[in-house]
Amino acid sequence: MSNNVVVLGSINVDTTYHVERFPQPGETISAVSKSSAPGGKGANQAVAAARSGAKTAFIGAVGSDKEGAYMREALENDNIDIHHITTDKLHGTGSAAITLDANGQNDIMVYGGANQAMTTDVLAGIDDILEGADFLISQFETPQEVTLEAFKQAKQHGVTTILNPAPAHKIIPELLHYTDVIAPNESECALLTGIEITDEDSMAKSADYFHEQGVKHLLITLGSKGVYYNTPAGQGLVPAFKVKAVDTTAAGDTFIGALSSQLQNDLSNVATALVYAQRASSLTVQQMGAMPSIPTNDEVEKALAEK
Ligand code: ATP
Ligand code: RIB
């Protein structure tokens, strides 16, 4: 399977502080160690798609700083087409400060910088990458107005749109009209629908909500519990792989990117593709960091063969 994937989204340099426990408000604690790596939801998803074998292009923005150059190089090293990454002269490259405790739990603070300053100007000339693309993916770390305009253009090219509404935020209602697949986690889903996710019945009700808004396909990621899917071809819960997680940063991003490399664009093979995507995420959570932890197709296939 060799899909053609376009990602519109954020680019961050992540700094992770490894701590025994999270500090209380007003408290100062010492970090055991500190590390830095490429990240950002958009960039992670693009890298996951590319490492899983998809031809991948990126639409985004960085600052005119050394972090921007570092991130362009990181994406290029994964063979991602970066000619639609623009340089913002007024804002710095996005960054994230991640606190990771001894149990593998994380807290993330994001500085939007060039990601959040992005306007629809970034979409100039994207017809060349939308033509022939299978999927356009976006998230909520860049302005929704830009995603809305990109999704409209994608629909004109017959491209299937995937929205990962993360981090949790209210949505511009019109965006749902141009969304084919919505892939939130449990809390993001609840924020958008007002329906608390407690069981499969509440997930089916959430699917009804999105179907009424014109979104055909719902995928709810449930962390170590797996993924719920509700599409015209069927619905159900696909369990996650049982592994020992050390750092779940980018689990959701790996899932979205790896999935996009395997899915038919009518989602007719969704159940099989979900197994591949979850195997990929199960490898990510066993490694430290965002982008460095995202597996290649060979690594995912090897793990699938081992089961
Ligand atoms: P994050 O914000 O941490 O990147 P998320 O909240 O967007 O993640 P999750 O639902 O936590 O997304 O995880 C996405 C997928 O990753 C899950 O559906 C599952 O397949 C896999 N996954 C996440 N955590 C674990 C875990 N502890 N063990 C095994 N698989 C996991
Ligand atoms: O989803 C993980 C990502 O969220 C991190 O790489 C960080 O940059 C934040 O955007």
Side-chain angles (χ1 to χ4, degrees):
M1 185 93 201
S2 167
N3 275 340
N4 187 338
V5 174
V6 179
V7 179
L8 160 64
S10 56
I11 296 173
N12 293 333
V13 176
D14 293 350
T15 302
T16 303
Y17 296 88
H18 303 255
V19 297
E20 285 299 327
R21 61 167 179 85
F22 291 104
Q24 299 295 317
E27 186 188 18
T28 300
I29 61 166
S30 293
V32 179
S33 60
K34 186 179 102 159
S35 54
S36 185
K41 292 190 187 299
N44 294 337
Q45 292 176 16
V47 165
R51 289 187 188 163
S52 290
K55 179 172 180 248
T56 309
F58 199 87
I59 306 168
V62 292
S64 60
D65 43 25
K66 66 178 190 317
E67 290 81 5
Y70 167 70
M71 289 304 297
R72 279 178 190 277
E73 196 183 326
L75 294 174
E76 256 192 320
N77 285 344
D78 270 295
N79 299 315
I80 294 168
D81 174 350
I82 62 162
H83 83 272
H84 285 289
I85 296 181
T86 59
T87 302
D88 182 330
K89 294 202 168 62
L90 298 176
H91 302 88
T93 299
S95 61
I98 303 175
T99 313
L100 180 69
D101 82 357
N103 301 316
Q105 288 288 328
N106 66 42
D107 262 359
I108 305 184
M109 247 187 324
V110 176
Y111 161 68
N115 298 314
Q116 276 302 335
M118 198 188 282
T119 68
T120 52
D121 288 353
V122 79
L123 305 178
I126 62 164
D127 286 337
D128 66 340
I129 48 173
L130 288 180
E131 191 55 44
D134 297 291
F135 295 103
L136 172 63
I137 305 173
S138 192
Q139 325 73 30
F140 277 177
E141 274 185 346
T142 48
Q144 290 186 34
E145 293 77 8
V146 180
T147 297
L148 173 61
E149 188 51 37
F151 276 20
K152 284 183 182 172
Q153 291 191 32
K155 297 316 300 166
Q156 287 167 8
H157 287 269
V159 177
T160 301
T161 56
I162 302 179
L163 181 66
N164 170 224
H169 202 281
K170 282 190 179 159
I171 192 166
I172 303 175
E174 196 189 357
L175 184 51
L176 290 176
H177 304 328
Y178 296 90
T179 299
D180 296 309
V181 184
I182 191 155
N185 67 15
E186 290 163 278
S187 53
E188 292 150 6
C189 191
L191 180 82
L192 297 182
T193 62
I195 301 164
E196 197 193 338
I197 302 293
T198 49
D199 53 14
E200 245 183 272
D201 191 43
S202 57
M203 297 185 219
K205 286 199 175 87
S206 307
D208 292 341
Y209 173 91
F210 286 117
H211 294 159
E212 279 161 23
Q213 312 289 317
V215 184
K216 267 198 191 154
H217 312 276
L218 169 67
L219 309 173
I220 309 175
T221 62
L222 309 164
S224 59
K225 297 195 289 293
V227 181
Y228 170 80
Y229 70 98
N230 191 309
T231 77
Q235 56 174 286
L237 210 148
V238 182
F241 288 85
K242 285 201 184 347
V243 296
K244 183 163 171 21
V246 295
D247 179 5
T248 62
T249 310
D253 299 335
T254 302
F255 171 80
I256 300 281
L259 184 75
S260 72
S261 75
Q262 304 297 310
L263 265 186
Q264 302 283 356
N265 56 10
D266 61 358
L267 275 81
S268 52
N269 67 337
V270 66
T272 320
L274 286 176
V275 174
Y276 180 96
Q278 295 206 86
R279 187 75 255 198
S281 293
S282 78
L283 296 177
T284 294
V285 303
Q286 293 177 77
Q287 304 284 331
M288 291 289 180
M291 216 172 273
S293 70
I294 298 171
T296 62
N297 179 56
D298 284 353
E299 290 165 334
V300 180
E301 293 291 0
K302 184 165 172 274
L304 280 170
E306 286 162 3
K307 268 277 174 190

